[in-house]
Amino acid sequence: MKVKRYVVASVPEALPLIRGDLGSDAVILSTKEIKTGGVLGLFGKRRMEVIAAAETKPVPKPAPARQPAARPAAALAASPSGLGMAEEAQAEPATTLGRPAEPPAESWRRPEPPPEPLPEAPSPPPRRDRMPTDGRPSADALQDELLQEVRGLKTWIRQLGLQQEADGRSEPLRQLMERLERQEVAAEWRDRLLEELRTEPDFESLSLQPEALREAARAVIERWLSPFEVGGDILDQARTIHFVGPTGVGKTTTIAKLAACETLQRQRSVGLITADTYRIAAVDQLRTYADILGVPLEVVFSPAEAARAFQQLADKDIVLMDTAGRNYRSELQINEVSSMLRTGSASETCLVLSLTARTADMESVALPFIEHGVTKAIFTKLDETRVYGALLNLSLSHRLQPLYIASGQTVPDDLERFSSRRYAALLIGDGADV
C-alpha cells in the first residue's frame, strides 16, 4: 500500500493531487486541521492535512527458463545418428540465457498439416438484463455504480464544507443560526439570511456582537415581510369574508373577535353565517356570541341556503361566514367547502391556521387551499407555542399573506393586526433562551 500526506488549504484542493499521484482507486484515510508556519506556535496559518492511500499491485516475476532434460549416457552412446556425445549435444538446439537459439533451417522441419477450422459458435440471444453471460457486470451497471460513487463523494465534500464553515463561525452567529433552526425556519431562508448578513460592510465585527447581530437579523426579516402589510384592512376591502381551515384551529372564536371589533369599536353592522353543522354545539357557540353582540345569525346546510342567507343579510355592512372544519386531504370535502363560498358580492377567503402545529403539517394543510386561490391567512394560538418559524416559511415560500395573529381566548382583545416588526422580534428573540 502506498500512503501519501498532503497539506492543502481545503480538502477539495487535495482531490486532484490524490488522483494524479495515487490513481482513481485511492481512498482518503483521514483529514485533520493543522497550523503551519508562525513563530513559537503563534500566527500560524490553518491548513488541512489529508492522508490518502492506494493499493500497489505486485510486479509478476519472470518464469525461470526451462533447461533441457539431461540425457542418460547410455542413450547418448546408442544414438541412432551415430554421432558422439559432444557432436550429439551440438545437434540439440542451443539456448542462450534461457531463450531458444535460431530455429533450424526449413529443410530440417517437418511439414505440418494446416489447422482445421474451428466451428463458429452461435451468437447468444440478446439479454434483457444488464449482466453479461460471463457473470461480470455490464458497462451500464458499472457506469451507474460510478455515478453513485461520484454523488456520494460530492455529498461528503459538501457536508465537510458546511462543517468547516460552521466551525469557522463566531459564537453569536452560531447561536443565531441554532435559534432559527429551533424555530423551524427552513434551511433555505436561514442560508439566505446568512448571505445577506455577510454583505454588511462591518460583518466581521458585527458577528462578534450578539445584540447587534440579532438587530441586523431582525431588520432583514422585517424587510422580507413588510410587503405583506401593504393593502389595508381586509374588513374594508370586502363585504363578505369566509373563514376556512381544519378543525380545532379557532375559526369560530376568531369570527367572534372580528365581529366584536367591528360592532363595538367601529360601529358597523355585522351579520354572521355558519355552515359548521358537523361539529356538536358549533352553532350554539356562535349563536351565543351573536346574542351577546346583538347581531343576526343564519345557519345554512347547502349552497342554496347560503344564497338565501346572504339575501337576508343584504343590509349589513359586513358578513362573516364560518365554514365547517374539513379534512384537507379530501378533495371532495375541499370542493364542498368551496361551493359554499360562491357569492355574488365582493368577498374574500381567509385560511385560519394554528401556530401549535408543526411546519410540515401546516404546509400540508395550507397547500390545498392555496391551490383553490386562498392567499390570506390568520394565525391563532400564539400563546400556546414558542415556535414561530412556520409563519415565515408559508409567507415567503407560498406568498401567503398573514392578516391577524390571535394570542388567546379573550374576545375581542386577543387579536391584533400582523406586524412584521413585532413578528421579527418574536422570531429572533432577545438571546435569553440561548
Side-chain angles (χ1 to χ4, degrees), residues 141-204:
L142 292 175
Q143 184 177 6
D144 291 345
E145 183 179 356
L146 181 60
L147 289 176
Q148 291 178 2
E149 291 181 357
V150 171
R151 292 191 188 101
L153 183 60
K154 287 182 177 180
T155 302
W156 177 76
I157 293 175
R158 180 177 177 274
Q159 292 176 351
L160 185 60
L162 293 176
Q163 182 64 34
Q164 291 178 351
E165 180 183 358
D167 293 342
R169 295 174 183 172
S170 63
E171 184 64 17
L173 187 60
R174 183 187 63 80
Q175 292 178 356
L176 175 63
M177 292 297 107
E178 290 180 355
R179 159 80 182 185
L180 294 178
E181 186 175 1
R182 290 195 300 272
Q183 290 295 314
E184 296 187 3
V185 175
E188 173 188 0
W189 304 113
R190 297 200 308 267
D191 295 341
R192 180 175 170 182
L193 175 63
L194 183 58
E195 290 177 3
E196 295 203 18
L197 290 176
R198 290 185 186 277
T199 59
E200 297 288 338
D202 55 344
F203 173 73
E204 294 297 333

Side-chain angles (χ1 to χ4, degrees), residues 112 188 320:
E112 298 179 356
E188 173 188 0
L320 306 179

Side-chain angles (χ1 to χ4, degrees), residues 2-6 16-27 51-55:
K2 185 177 181 181
V3 181
K4 196 165 183 180
R5 174 177 177 266
Y6 300 86
L17 300 177
I18 295 173
R19 285 195 293 266
D21 295 344
L22 303 178
S24 59
D25 294 333
V27 295
I51 306 298
E55 292 287 346

